[in-house]
Amino acid sequence: MKKVFFIAAVFAAVFCVSCVSSGVTVSRVSADTVTDLSGYWNDTDLRIVAESIVNECVNAGAISNYIKKNGKEPIVIVGSFRNDSDEHIDTSILTKKFEAALINSGRVDFVASSSERSEIRDERSEQQLWASEDTAKRLANETAADFMLIGSVKTIIDSIAGTSTRTYFVYAELIDIETNKKLWMGENSEIKKVINRSSTRR
């Protein structure tokens, strides 16, 4: 009888614990709300940098000159953006932001990135075997890019006695794929944060 009572008591305790709130509160906010919790790179920094650099890039003389000379927008591909900072930054999000902003600007055309092309080429090869002759897409008929946008993210940190500053530098370069000429270089260093960390005393 005591054993049954003990088991019942254990189950009741487990049930009570499961009913206790975990203490986690989630609030939904607008996507453009500035939220700086740790002082590290975040979505607000990403948005500021992407808008600034793309705006400079699409208004660069190289783009205008190409359109004037050829009567059409240049075809651009976004290459790699290196993370040379002291923290983990997913630069693939940065490159996608650049792609979206550049396409939406209406000043350039885009082709698939190197990673995307591999998957598309596999599909095209499969079509040669399994799709009808009328619908199969031709091989070696890709549109080549004229320019490539590459860049990097770097940080400078200064700190003393619980206070530190983090300054982010994002560099971008537009390169002529045929000649390797650097047609435009942009930099954003607007992201600077002062972080105060109070010492915990017991």
Side-chain angles (χ1 to χ4, degrees):
M1 185 69 179
K2 290 182 179 180
K3 186 175 181 181
V4 173
F5 178 78
F6 176 75
I7 294 173
V10 169
F11 274 110
V14 170
F15 177 77
C16 288
V17 169
S18 66
C19 291
V20 174
S21 171
S22 64
V24 176
T25 302
V26 178
S27 301
R28 289 187 178 271
V29 296
S30 173
D32 59 0
T33 300
V34 177
T35 52
D36 252 315
L37 302 179
S38 65
Y40 289 105
W41 179 266
N42 59 38
D43 62 312
T44 301
D45 305 326
L46 180 68
R47 185 170 63 253
I48 292 171
V49 166
E51 289 174 357
S52 172
I53 287 184
V54 168
N55 184 58
E56 286 184 33
C57 181
V58 297
N59 289 295
I63 302 291
S64 299
N65 292 339
Y66 183 94
I67 295 173
K68 186 177 180 179
K69 180 180 178 181
N70 298 279
K72 61 178 182 177
E73 292 78 17
I75 297 170
V76 178
I77 187 171
V78 175
S80 62
F81 270 73
R82 300 187 317 276
N83 177 20
D84 295 332
S85 73
D86 70 315
E87 64 184 89
H88 171 72
I89 295 177
D90 187 347
T91 55
S92 67
I93 301 175
L94 185 62
T95 58
K96 281 300 178 184
K97 273 281 188 184
F98 281 139
E99 283 187 25
L102 285 167
I103 290 172
N104 294 336
S105 73
R107 296 274 291 170
V108 299
D109 284 332
F110 252 83
V111 289
S113 67
S114 57
S115 59
E116 293 166 336
R117 286 199 302 271
S118 178
E119 185 176 355
I120 296 168
R121 285 169 180 166
D122 287 344
E123 169 61 22
R124 200 156 45 235
S125 295
E126 292 258 335
Q127 289 185 6
Q128 309 310 308
L129 293 174
W130 304 107
S132 66
E133 186 176 344
D134 293 338
T135 61
K137 302 304 177 280
R138 288 182 293 164
L139 298 174
N141 195 41
E142 297 179 12
T143 299
D146 302 301
F147 304 148
M148 178 180 282
L149 185 71
I150 61 172
S152 61
V153 182
K154 304 176 188 293
T155 49
I156 291 180
I157 302 164
D158 191 18
S159 62
I160 186 172
T163 299
S164 61
T165 61
R166 302 181 66 83
T167 307
Y168 293 87
F169 295 86
V170 181
Y171 299 95
E173 301 176 358
L174 191 66
I175 299 174
D176 186 310
I177 293 177
E178 185 171 19
T179 64
N180 284 342
K181 286 183 179 179
K182 292 186 178 183
L183 305 173
W184 168 84
M185 293 183 68
E187 172 201 326
N188 184 294
S189 56
E190 297 177 13
I191 311 300
K192 186 171 185 176
K193 306 180 184 184
V194 179
I195 305 136
N196 292 300
R197 301 190 188 280
S198 59
S199 58
T200 304
R201 295 183 179 179
R202 295 186 179 182

